[in-house]
């Protein structure tokens, strides 16, 4: 009995099609059935955002006798949003070159104009159709309001509004005190965007740095009686002293030197270059006095001679004293020579006078 029931049910179970095919642009009309018998037909409608490109009859599939569905291809295409023209004083660009469902429209304004509204629009589903998700933007002319007034200064071309790229220039008033005003900040402001200038207005104030003093050093360039804003000074250390810090400093807006004033400490300047040698390190050299002047010697020779003569301390002060002695000897020699010449001329003149008489 059970075998008979199974034989009777077998054709019913196997003689059916599976689930209808699925499509990107179409959806099954109505609810799907658990089983479709051969000869049954299913209809498809276009999904939202799409429209049919073939008649309804061509958007159907039939369960064939071999329990497979008849061939069916996509039969719907994307809908189009309304066309968008270029805004006044601007342009619109479509990302994929069309206004079809899913497209984007990008807007830009011409130079000198700014945008009011959404910069990017999307073609989306709107009820049973498609449309842009927002209204197109508009491009308005860029204008700037009057820039701020400053204390102890003024700017050119005063008016209520300024156009894009228009420039105002700030200057400082003459000072009634002993020190002049310095303009700190940008002197030229440009209207770069809607009611936005290229920078904040500058300041006009007295910026004066103290006289820079470096012990054992001197000002090489930039010397003046007063040091105002952006004044630059370059230093140099005296002979026998080395500089620590930057040799160039600038008077900043806070009336202080930047970077800090350097110092000069006793000792030689640090070596910046090394002299290469093919035979090894170059021996240290010193300078010792001789009867004819200063003679360099190697460290080896100096150490060898140390047994016969005392070590000479060649400080810069010693060299300066030695130079002064040489100059003194030269001057004394000249004076002696002049005296000898004068005595000879006097003697010659006396002898000649005696012979005449």
């Amino acid at each position: 009995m059970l075998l008979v029931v199974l034989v009777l049910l077998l054709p019913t179970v196997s003689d059916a099609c599976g689930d209808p095919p699925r499509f990107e642009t179409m959806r099954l009309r109505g609810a799907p059935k658990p089983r479709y018998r051969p000869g049954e037909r299913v209809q498809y409608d276009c999904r939202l955002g799409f429209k049919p490109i073939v008649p309804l009859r061509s958007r159907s599939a039939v369960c064939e006798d071999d329990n497979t569905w008849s061939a069916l291809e996509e039969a719907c295409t994307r809908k189009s949003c309304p066309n968008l023209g270029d805004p006044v004083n601007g342009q619109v660009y479509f990302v994929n070159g069309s206004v079809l469902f899913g497209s984007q429209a990008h807007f830009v304004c011409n130079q000198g104009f700014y945008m009011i509204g959404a910069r990017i629009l999307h073609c989306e589903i709107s009820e049973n159709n498609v449309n842009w998700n927002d209204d197109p933007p508009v491009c308005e002319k860029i204008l700037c309001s009057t820039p701020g007034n400053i204390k102890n200064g003024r700017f050119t071309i005063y008016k209520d509004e300024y156009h894009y790229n228009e420039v105002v220039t700030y200057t400082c008033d003459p000072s009634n005190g002993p020190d002049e005003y310095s303009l700190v900040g940008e002197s030229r402001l440009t209207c770069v965007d809607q009611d936005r200038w290229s920078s904040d207005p500058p300041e006009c104030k007295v910026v004066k740095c103290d006289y820079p003093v470096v012990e054992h050093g001197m000002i090489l360039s930039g010397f003046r009686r007063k040091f105002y804003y952006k004044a630059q000074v370059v230093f140099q250390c005296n002979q026998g002293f080395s500089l620590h810090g930057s040799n160039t400093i600038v008077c900043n807006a806070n009336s202080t030197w930047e970077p800090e004033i350097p110092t000069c400490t006793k000792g030689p300047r640090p070596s910046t270059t090394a002299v290469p040698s093919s035979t090894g390190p170059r021996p240290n050299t010193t300078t010792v006095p001789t009867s004819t002047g200063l003679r360099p010697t190697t460290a080896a020779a100096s150490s060898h001679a140390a047994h016969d003569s005392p070590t000479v301390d060649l400080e810069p002060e010693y060299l300066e004293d030695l130079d002064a002695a040489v100059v003194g000897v030269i001057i004394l020699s000249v004076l002696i020579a002049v005296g000898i010449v004068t005595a000879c001329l006097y003697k010659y003149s006396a002898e000649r006078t005696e012979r005449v008489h």
Side-chain angles (χ1 to χ4, degrees):
M1 191 67 176
L2 179 61
L3 184 61
V4 172
V5 171
L6 291 175
V7 171
L8 292 175
L9 291 176
L10 184 61
T12 304
V13 173
S14 61
D15 192 16
C17 290
D19 294 335
R22 298 178 61 86
F23 298 92
E24 178 185 0
T25 64
M26 303 184 298
R27 63 184 178 184
L28 190 66
R29 176 181 292 183
K33 297 170 58 176
R35 185 171 64 251
Y36 294 87
R37 295 173 182 245
E40 286 191 86
R41 181 183 297 271
V42 293
Q43 299 286 346
Y44 287 88
D45 293 325
C46 293
R47 296 181 183 273
L48 290 177
F50 296 85
K51 62 182 179 180
I53 53 177
V54 295
L56 178 61
R57 184 70 178 176
S58 300
R59 300 197 307 275
S60 62
V62 178
C63 180
E64 303 285 359
D65 293 336
D66 59 355
N67 301 327
T68 61
W69 291 100
S70 60
L72 179 63
E73 296 181 355
E74 298 279 359
C76 298
T77 187
R78 296 176 185 271
K79 292 182 178 180
S80 298
C81 280
N83 193 22
L84 295 172
D86 290 334
V88 179
N89 301 312
Q91 294 87 37
V92 60
Y93 300 94
F94 299 100
V95 174
N96 56 3
S98 72
V99 294
L100 298 177
F101 170 57
S103 298
Q104 294 182 11
H106 291 213
F107 292 84
V108 293
C109 291
N110 297 339
Q111 189 176 28
F113 295 84
Y114 73 102
M115 187 175 297
I116 300 177
R119 188 176 298 273
I120 300 177
L121 299 186
H122 301 267
C123 182
E124 299 178 346
I125 295 172
S126 176
E127 297 180 351
N128 293 327
N129 207 342
V130 294
N131 203 349
W132 299 105
N133 65 321
D134 205 342
D135 294 329
V138 294
C139 296
E140 294 287 345
K141 182 180 293 187
I142 291 176
L143 296 173
C144 290
S145 57
T146 306
N149 294 318
I150 61 173
K151 186 178 179 180
N152 304 319
R154 64 189 66 194
F155 61 88
T156 57
I157 317 177
Y158 186 94
K159 54 185 180 179
D160 293 335
E161 62 181 20
Y162 299 79
H163 295 282
Y164 175 73
N165 264 349
E166 197 164 359
V167 176
V168 297
T169 303
Y170 283 84
T171 56
C172 292
D173 297 332
S175 172
N176 294 326
D179 298 312
E180 63 186 43
Y181 291 123
S182 295
L183 191 143
V184 180
E186 297 294 333
S187 61
R188 290 168 54 88
L189 270 64
T190 305
C191 179
V192 295
D193 205 347
Q194 177 62 18
D195 206 16
R196 185 168 70 87
W197 293 92
S198 55
S199 65
D200 294 330
E203 294 181 85
C204 284
K205 62 180 183 179
V206 174
V207 177
K208 183 181 178 182
C209 289
D210 295 334
Y211 191 95
V213 177
V214 174
E215 190 176 0
H216 306 301
M218 65 183 73
I219 295 178
L220 190 63
S221 66
F223 176 80
R224 62 195 72 187
R225 289 193 311 108
K226 297 180 180 181
F227 297 89
Y228 293 122
Y229 182 52
K230 290 187 177 180
Q232 181 175 289
V233 178
V234 180
F235 292 98
Q236 175 180 288
C237 290
N238 298 337
Q239 185 177 5
F241 293 84
S242 58
L243 187 140
H244 294 269
S246 175
N247 70 330
T248 304
I249 58 176
V250 179
C251 182
N252 65 22
N254 296 324
S255 296
T256 57
W257 292 104
E258 187 178 356
E260 295 181 355
I261 299 176
T263 58
C264 291
T265 57
K266 192 174 183 61
R269 293 181 181 273
S271 177
T272 56
T273 57
V275 180
S277 174
S278 59
T279 59
R282 183 177 178 179
N284 296 329
T285 61
T286 58
T287 306
V288 298
T290 65
S291 59
T292 58
L294 301 178
R295 175 173 59 86
T297 63
T298 64
S302 297
S303 62
H304 178 73
H307 298 285
D308 302 326
S309 60
T311 303
V312 180
D313 185 11
L314 298 179
E315 296 292 339
E317 291 82 354
Y318 174 84
L319 297 178
E320 293 177 359
D321 293 342
L322 183 61
D323 292 341
V326 173
V327 173
V329 171
I330 293 175
I331 294 175
L332 181 60
S333 300
V334 172
L335 292 176
I336 293 173
V338 171
I340 293 174
V341 172
T342 303
C344 292
L345 291 176
Y346 177 78
K347 184 177 179 181
Y348 173 76
S349 178
E351 291 176 354
R352 185 176 180 182
T353 301
E354 186 178 350
R355 282 197 300 265
V356 171
H357 289 291

